[in-house]
Amino acid sequence: MITTASLFVCALSVLTCGKAFYLPGLAPVNYCSKTGEDNANTCKNEIPLYVNRLNTEESVIPFEYHHFDFCTTDETQSPVENLGQVVFGERIRPSPYKLNFMENVDCATVCTKTYKGSNPDSLKKLNLLKMGMALYYQHHWILDNMPVTWCYLVDKEKTYCSTGFPMGCQVRRDLDTCTPIVATNQAPVGAYFLFNHVDIEITYHSGAEEEWGVGFGENGGRIISAKIKPASIRHANPDKLDCNTRTPLEIPNMLTGDETFSITYSYRVTFHRNNTIKWSSRWDYILESMPHTNIQWFSILNSLVIVLFLSGMVAMILLRTLHKDIARYNQMECGEDAQEEFGWKLVHGDVFRPPRRGMLLAVFLGSGAQVFGMTLVTLAFACLGFLSPANRGALMTCALVAWVLLGAAAGYVSARIYKSFGGRRWKSNILLTSMVCPGVVFSLFFIMNLVLWGKGSSAAIPFSTLLALLALWFGVSVPLTFIGAYFGFRKRILDHPVRTNQIPRQIPEQSLYTQAVPGVVMGGVLPFGCIFIQLFFILNSLWSSQMYYMFGFLFLVFVILVITCSETTILLCYFHLCAEDYHWWWRAFLSSGSTAGYLFVYCCHYFVTKLNIEDAASTFLYFGYTFIMVFLFFLLTGTIGFMACFWFVRKIYSVVKVD
């Protein structure tokens, strides 16, 4: 399922040193013209152009290319998709466009589609095209494993290169999306214009023999970019095309009786040679057109300021206040006249009392450790360049495989924690750890998949893939969870530094800031403040078809998130223990886990302000996927905070003398 043969590094190097590179042994494709067919074993003449799904920011539901009545070809030669691509809804198919290296095409016909007013099927297909244009659905084409880009000016100064281009447009009063391409001065409001013509401009680099190991001279090269300019052209005579005319093709509002309407799809191909840009740097123009680097640095600096502030607070507590507490407590024990205990030492006999619903807490912690390991492994591979944008679906595939294999970690952590609570229902613990959290995620995913099935979307997972996911869960993850729990229960029980009294101590009345709810609410503010800028780019990559490639920044933010969750939870735990409130188990988990609540609020804000989704199905799907993300983030941050607090509590009570 994992196509590691196509992995190469491109995006990470842009972040680190400004120059891209690829892994040794993963050579690019060399192309040559027909006059250079002597090198047929080392170069190719035909350039395959693939089409991917169509999506839009105004709907969460993508569709396959052939869902709309475009020109198609034999799809039996479609490339094999990995697990991540299938889950993400990518459907890559061969296109009917014929391209040969260094062969310019002036004006060629792809096909002609005819619609009749008396044919209900024709009317349905025509209405489907209108729906796609009204919702601004975009094509995503792939050439030489690169996205075919549509470059246009932004704010009359900077060029932005989008990895998709619209299938057409509808004239609107509030947002006239047709103006950049179609002259709509006299077009009526509500008119539809289909982009049935594309100008494809392919730029290639022709290298020397000593550079590539094989020389083609003027007859060969490597593709470094493929740019497209869509246009709407009414071809009066399909047999005599004129691709220079700019009379737009307007789709009629309706066809009646024996009326017919024809759409002729055409294209033009132009090759340009450019030896100043090398193949290893061909992604730069796409990534550099995204004006986000300065904001990313601002995000890092913002997060670092928060971490430095928290670190100073924790250092002050640990090095001054806590050190004085321990010295005073130990001095009291050595004195002749014993004084009454106070502060956090007063609850030493109850601080390790097992919490209520300890089984559920242990299950959450096991699954949280699994999510933490999955995130760490995925980010590590991404930072090394293995999960670059060129390797489609690799990010999701890596995350799924890491999740499955880390079932052993989930079972081990859950068993160790549950045993430390004095739990004896080990069978229930193992079953719940392997079923509850994965079951919640899979159930939500399955329900949303049913909605996508009903809509005929390309994002609907085939039944065979669902069976494969279930096989990974029950055939790999569950057995590994059992193995991890087996070793966890065989370990000795965690010895706490102080004994637990038989009778629980009464907790005094708490002030407002030491109560449970305010503490939990405050616990998620600072961790969310470290990540909210980065969240904008992640959500853009998920819902706005933008590439996310700055995994180095993301890894730094993840490290800062771990530090912030740990320090925030430790601070709140210390304040609660000083207030003689020893119920810290669940509070430690929920304090940092409440960051997920702020994440959900931010996702709602993004939905309202950045997306134009109106239909109920897309809204349901958006919030369904959001809930999965928030739930996993809740497990991740909650586990980080709990583990830090667990270490802190054990540490401070191990260095103080207790009778």
Side-chain angles (χ1 to χ4, degrees), residues 316-483:
M316 182 180 66
I317 289 176
L318 295 181
L319 299 180
R320 297 187 59 183
T321 308
L322 192 59
H323 180 72
K324 290 181 180 180
D325 288 348
I326 295 173
R328 184 164 62 251
Y329 290 155
N330 292 337
Q331 186 177 8
M332 289 168 51
E333 291 292 334
C334 298
E336 294 181 359
D337 298 328
Q339 302 181 23
E340 185 180 357
E341 295 177 343
F342 62 93
W344 55 266
K345 184 186 177 184
L346 190 63
V347 295
H348 67 83
D350 299 279
V351 71
F352 291 106
R353 187 179 303 280
R356 296 180 179 178
R357 299 181 179 86
M359 172 80 80
L360 182 61
L361 179 59
V363 169
F364 280 175
L365 291 172
S367 297
Q370 191 176 9
V371 176
F372 179 85
M374 176 194 71
T375 306
L376 190 63
V377 170
T378 304
L379 286 179
F381 277 101
C383 287
L384 292 174
F386 290 102
L387 309 180
S388 69
N391 189 29
R392 294 170 183 81
L395 186 69
M396 177 59 73
T397 303
C398 180
L400 288 173
V401 172
W403 167 275
V404 169
L405 296 180
L406 287 168
Y412 181 83
V413 171
S414 179
R416 289 282 282 165
I417 296 295
Y418 181 65
K419 190 175 181 180
S420 71
F421 293 159
R424 297 183 179 182
R425 297 163 54 195
W426 60 272
K427 294 180 181 178
S428 299
N429 175 257
I430 297 175
L431 288 174
L432 291 175
T433 303
S434 59
M435 296 294 175
V436 171
C437 295
V440 170
V441 174
F442 186 83
S443 299
L444 288 172
F445 185 77
F446 180 74
I447 292 172
M448 290 181 291
N449 200 58
L450 291 177
V451 176
L452 293 170
W453 267 339
K455 293 292 182 178
S457 171
S458 65
I461 308 301
F463 185 72
S464 58
T465 305
L466 284 177
L467 292 179
L469 292 174
L470 288 173
L472 287 174
W473 179 14
F474 289 101
V476 181
S477 181
V478 171
L480 287 176
T481 305
F482 275 70
I483 294 173

Side-chain angles (χ1 to χ4, degrees), residues 52-72:
N52 203 344
R53 64 176 183 178
L54 285 84
N55 59 4
T56 177
E57 294 183 17
E58 299 187 14
S59 177
V60 181
I61 304 172
F63 293 103
E64 281 203 56
Y65 181 81
H66 63 245
H67 181 79
F68 300 96
D69 193 31
F70 298 128
C71 302
T72 57

Side-chain angles (χ1 to χ4, degrees), residues 72-86:
T72 57
T73 186
D74 183 16
E75 296 186 353
T76 58
Q77 303 299 322
S78 301
V80 179
E81 295 159 342
N82 57 43
L83 182 61
Q85 287 177 291
V86 177

